[in-house]
Each structure stands twice: as C-alpha cells, then as structure tokens.
Amino acid sequence: GDPGAYMNRSELEGNPHLVLEGMIIGAYAMGASRGFVYCRAEYLLAIKRLNIAIEQAYKYGLLGKNLFESGFGFDLEVRIGAGAFVCGEETALMRSIEGRRGQSQPRPPFPAQRGLWGKPTNINNVETWAALKPILLRGAAWYAGIGTEKTKGTKVFALAGKIKNTGLVEVPFGTTLRDIIFEIGGGIPDGKEFKAVQTGGPSGGVVPSEHLDTPLEYESLQKLGSIMGSGGLVIMDEDSCMVDVAQFFMEFCCDESCGKCPPCRVCTRQMLNILERIKKGEAELDDLKKLEELSVVVKDASLCGLGQTAPNPVMTTLRYFRKEYEEHIRERRCTAGVCEDLFLSPCENTCPVHMNIPGYLQLIKEDRLDEAFELVVLDNPLPASTGRACQYPCENRCRRKTIDTAINMREVHRYIADTIFKKTTAEKIVKRFKKRKMAATGKRIGIVGSGPAGLTAAFYLALLGHKVTVYESAEKPGGMLRSALPDYRLPTETLDHELALIRGVGVQFICSKTLGRDVTLKKLTKDHDLVFLAIGEKVEGAVAQKLGLELNKSGTIKVDPWTLRTSNPKVYAGGDVVTGAANMITAMGFGKKAAALIDRQLVGVDRFRQLWPKLEYDNTIPQHTPEAPRNEGKIVPCEARRKSWKEVSHTLSAWEAKAEAMRCLRCDIKAHPREVTAPHSHEQNQQPVVKQ
C-alpha cells in the first residue's frame, strides 16, 4: 500500500473533529450544502471514529439544517471505498461515491463545473481540511512564514522502508531529505549504506544519494523527476535493487489501473513485462529504449494522474541507476542480490569471482575432496592465497546469519586447497586441469603484471587454448601477493604451489621486465593479438605518455566498464590500475571477467563456461538446521609467534571443514533440483549457468 495514505488515516483516527471543522468552514465559504468523506474500507478505526465525530457534530448543532439560525445548512456523511488506488483521482472518486465503478473521466468539465450528480463539487485532501482551522485562527501571514518562497506551510511525511525510525513526521516545506532521513529518521539500520528514497507514493520517483540535500518542495522534486504526492518516503539501502523497485511499483500501478484508457491499461503492462524479463536475464539493451519510449507515451497520453505518474519509478531509476539495468542485461548480474534468477546463491553473487560456494560445501559433505578442489580452482585459481587474504564479502550475505553466524567459507576452501597441495604432487594436479584445456587457438596474449588480476586472467586464457605470456617487473611472479604480504600471512611456499599450477596449464612468465622501460606497449601489441594490463598501480609521468592510453583524473587507466577495453582497441586493463587500490579478490574478479571478454573477442563465440565440469551432487534442502557453533581457524598464540615468520593461523581440520559444510542452508536450491555447470560469468548474453 501507499505509505503516504497513513497520514490521512492518522488525521481521521487522531482528530477527526479538525477535519470536520475544516470542511464545515469550506462549505460555508463556497455555499455547499452536502459533504462526503471518502475512506477506504480497510481503515476500520478511522471510519469508526469519523462516524462518532459526525454524530457528535450533529448532536451539538454543528451539522444539519439552518446552522445557528444563519440559513446555512451542511450535511456530512462517510462513503466507504473498496480500496482502489485509482479512486484517489478526483473523477474516479466521484463515480465511486455515486455508486458507480471507479474510473477516471475526461476533463473538462472539471469538478468545480460539474461534479457529483452533475453539481459543482470541490475536492480536497484530508490534510488540507485539517490545516484550515489553524490558518484562520493565526492568519495567512503566519502560515506563509513557514516553508519556502514557493511552497508554504508544513507537510506530513510517512517514513517507511530501511530506516531506524519509521512513522509519521510533520516538517516545514524546504526541509532536506538528509535531515528527515538521518536526523529525524535516525539513518539506515545495521550499518548499511543509504542508496535512494522514493517520494510520493507508488507512482513517485526515486531520488538517489547525491540529491539528499534537496529541499522538499513541489518544484525541486519535480526537477528530479519525482512528486510530492501523498507524502510517502520509502527509504532504500544498498541491498535494494532498482530494477526490482521499478518492477514492484509498476506491478502495483498495473493492478490498480481502472483499465479505461489504452495508454495506461496496455503500455504499463508492456513496461511490466520488460522489467520482468530484465529481472530474469532475458532482456536486451534495446528494451531500455522501449521502456523510455513507453514511459513517455503513458505519461503524456493517460487520462488521469495514475497513468500520468505511473512511469515515474521506471524513469527515475533509469535516469539515476541506469548502470544497474545494464548490469542485469549485459552481465546477467544483480549486485544487490535480489533478482534470484540471475545468480546461484547470495554468497556466490557477492563473491567477485563468483565461486560456487554451495557446490564445494556439498562436495565436502559427500567426502569428494578432489572434485571440490577442481570446482574451487576453476572458480578461483588462487584458492590457498585467497583462503588467507580474502576479505570474504560472501559472508556478509550468508543467510545462515539469520540462525546464528555466517559459514566460514574462506577457511573451508583454504582447507580444500591446503589439503590437496600437501597430499598430491604438482604433476598430478596439473594433469587434472590440463584435461580441461581446450585446443590451441593460435592466438597470442600478453599480460603485464603477475598480481591477482594478471594471474587469474592468464590461468583461464591458457585453459581456453591461447598462448599466454606474462611480463613481470620483479624477479619472481606474484606481484603484491609476493611483495606486500609477509610469510606469516601468506607463506611463499603456498603461493609457489599455485604458480606451479598456472605454469603447468601453459602460462609463460618473463620476469624483470618493466613496462615503459624494458618492454613497450607498442611492441607488446605488435607481438600479441591482444594485451591485458594488470600492473596493479596508477600510471604516472613518463610511463603514461609512453603508453598513449586515455587516463582518468586519478591516474588510473580509463576503460569501458562492460568490455574492459582501453582507448587502444588491442589493449584491455583490469584490477587496481583501473579501480585504484582495492583488494585481492576484487582484482581477481577483473581478471576473470577480462579472460571471458578477451576470449570472445578472439574466437567470436562464448566458450568460457565450457571450462567447468558437470558435477552432480545431492540437491535436497537440509531438513533440520539447528544452531551450531562456527568453526574458526586456529590463531597461533603470540608467545609462539615471537621472532618467527611462520604462519600465524592454521587451517581447519577435516572434521571442522565438514562441520562447516553441514551448516550450509543450500540457498542455491530454488524450486527444483539443480545440476551446476559453471559459476556466474560476466559474459554478455550468457544465461545463468544453472540447469534446472
């Protein structure tokens, strides 16, 4: 329902006499003899108290014939509506009062000319009538002194959604959204980031964080594409998907349309269909243009305010959050983790490399460690390193937290990697992954930088059959993993195990070669079909000039966010050199995305997901999920760490890893058992990689 409607109900429940007094004064001023309060049937308490107030007004001679022997009479009654949203529009409201179907009518004639039963009719909101008495008592100048130059007085807003203090608040017009949300509303709960606020009810627009200091008045909201409407403020945080928000409100407007005019009846349904396709990953970029065109038609051609404002949520989310729409279409990805058709599970969706976390946890439960290792490495070619240094964003979205604590996903895949690296020879490990390697393509790829982004891209591109050469300025590969992380955090031996695997699948490393000094971009593009820059730092000074690439003001390389291409069509870039200083797993996500994009550019088809094995495992939802303690990695006591570079933490035991796997709620299981073929990919036009 419309949060804004709650303040009208509050007026009728809390002080119905104030509303009645305003209507009586208005009727006297206009010469009206009959009044109606239209109230939806769901508001039982408001209707009850309103009827009591009317009965009392008749009893004390404030309603009826010849009031105070003045010759003026006014009768008032309550008319109950069935709750149709369209009856908030004045012509539909009048038809409903007359006992007819609530449908909008063309204007003119306007209600003031011809309204209820063909007679002149004045229609105002409950709030307006309630404000009439204090204005008359204190004077127009007093009221005009509140608010802004163009919008006078106060307004009651209904705070709802992701906010600490929900409820009604009355503030002067001109109060900023920031003050209402963070000062009065208390801000966003659970430490989440504010994302947007929808103003004006279901057909209001969405206002993003960059406009939080906008003063609330009719003109300022109109400039942002929103409306004041009924005064509803729905607060959204980082977990809100703007495509889902637009679809939710468009569905409401479709259901509430009276169906009389085709622009509203037909076009809103088509808009809803497009939004539903976007949420399912079935849309194309042209659909965004269709949405915009349909929005204009509905807005300009609809008969009443419902249709004229219905496109507002779509138009404003497209205006301010277009990237989210494109992300749903281009990458089949919902960053907020709301559109479940686009991802396997919340944890997989949040992971920058999209590890199939429920998959390897289930394989651990089934004692299939070798297959779990294969699945982990194909999702993440540096599992032992990330098992130690990852910031584990996956745990922030783990639904197990609703029961007790998030699953220790990082330590489980560290256990898998450490165990296999210890018990299996490097030759056998390499042999396992060489079986997945595709036929040679004859294409040559140069990668500059052997940090997380470069190593990840190199691993996948080699498996895809390309000849990959990695250039590194240091004496040994590993980038920041080797130079910035000490042995007590990431042992050199652990990193060398993973580098041996990457070498084993066909990646060649050439060290002590600095870009711009020992090797030029011009030579790299001449010797290779494509080049991927993953140098992991800002490009400055003479190096920037030698590269000849377009840079951002911050000194990072400018790329197309969807293709990772630089201003040189033969050069791609990813990782810190694009984003600025980030973290290991984010850089790896760029490397994985780059590998898929580069491969498609070279061979012309999407092959990336073909690398993953078709693993079958139990896909039944756990029947019983009691509270269970989280198994943490064992930290070596401080006394034992003194004067030592040995690792500060130990991985889980086999029993502890399996116990953690048993805690998984299997959020990847939706309606039917699933066979997992590959993790989420950034490839354009690729369907979610889960077979029903």
Side-chain angles (χ1 to χ4, degrees), residues 562-578:
W562 307 116
T563 65
L564 297 186
R565 272 190 172 181
T566 67
S567 54
N568 185 331
K570 288 192 69 175
V571 180
Y572 290 68
D576 289 5
V577 76
V578 170

Side-chain angles (χ1 to χ4, degrees), residues 246-282:
Q247 184 263 341
F248 175 83
F249 288 114
M250 183 53 66
E251 185 174 28
F252 177 87
C253 291
C254 280
D255 290 343
E256 295 296 335
S257 171
C258 73
K260 182 170 184 175
C261 67
C264 183
R265 182 182 70 247
V266 178
C267 294
T268 56
R269 177 58 58 183
Q270 293 306 312
M271 292 174 70
L272 178 61
N273 291 340
I274 292 173
L275 291 167
E276 289 174 343
R277 290 206 307 273
I278 294 173
K279 287 190 62 178
K280 293 178 181 178
E282 299 171 354

Side-chain angles (χ1 to χ4, degrees), residues 235-308:
I235 318 301
M236 303 168 218
D237 66 10
E238 62 194 63
D239 295 335
S240 299
C241 167
M242 292 298 107
V243 180
D244 179 69
V245 167
Q247 184 263 341
F248 175 83
F249 288 114
M250 183 53 66
E251 185 174 28
F252 177 87
C253 291
C254 280
D255 290 343
E256 295 296 335
S257 171
C258 73
K260 182 170 184 175
C261 67
C264 183
R265 182 182 70 247
V266 178
C267 294
T268 56
R269 177 58 58 183
Q270 293 306 312
M271 292 174 70
L272 178 61
N273 291 340
I274 292 173
L275 291 167
E276 289 174 343
R277 290 206 307 273
I278 294 173
K279 287 190 62 178
K280 293 178 181 178
E282 299 171 354
E284 299 176 354
L285 285 175
D286 284 346
D287 286 321
L288 298 185
K289 185 179 179 181
K290 293 176 184 176
L291 272 179
E292 291 171 328
E293 292 172 347
L294 287 167
S295 294
V296 173
V297 171
V298 177
K299 194 175 186 70
D300 292 346
S302 290
L303 185 60
C304 78
L306 188 153
Q308 292 162 9

Side-chain angles (χ1 to χ4, degrees), residues 550-619:
E550 187 177 353
L551 303 181
N552 297 306
K553 291 181 180 179
S554 60
T556 56
I557 296 177
K558 188 174 184 178
V559 299
D560 182 299
W562 307 116
T563 65
L564 297 186
R565 272 190 172 181
T566 67
S567 54
N568 185 331
K570 288 192 69 175
V571 180
Y572 290 68
D576 289 5
V577 76
V578 170
T579 62
N583 54 54
M584 175 186 183
I585 198 68
T586 300
M588 291 181 68
F590 269 94
K592 194 170 187 178
K593 178 178 180 178
L597 294 168
I598 289 171
D599 180 65
R600 186 173 65 234
Q601 175 65 25
L602 290 173
V603 300
V605 295
D606 294 330
R607 308 184 303 155
F608 195 59
R609 58 179 173 173
Q610 296 175 19
L611 292 175
W612 277 261
K614 294 182 179 180
L615 296 174
E616 294 184 1
Y617 44 72
D618 183 24
N619 271 309

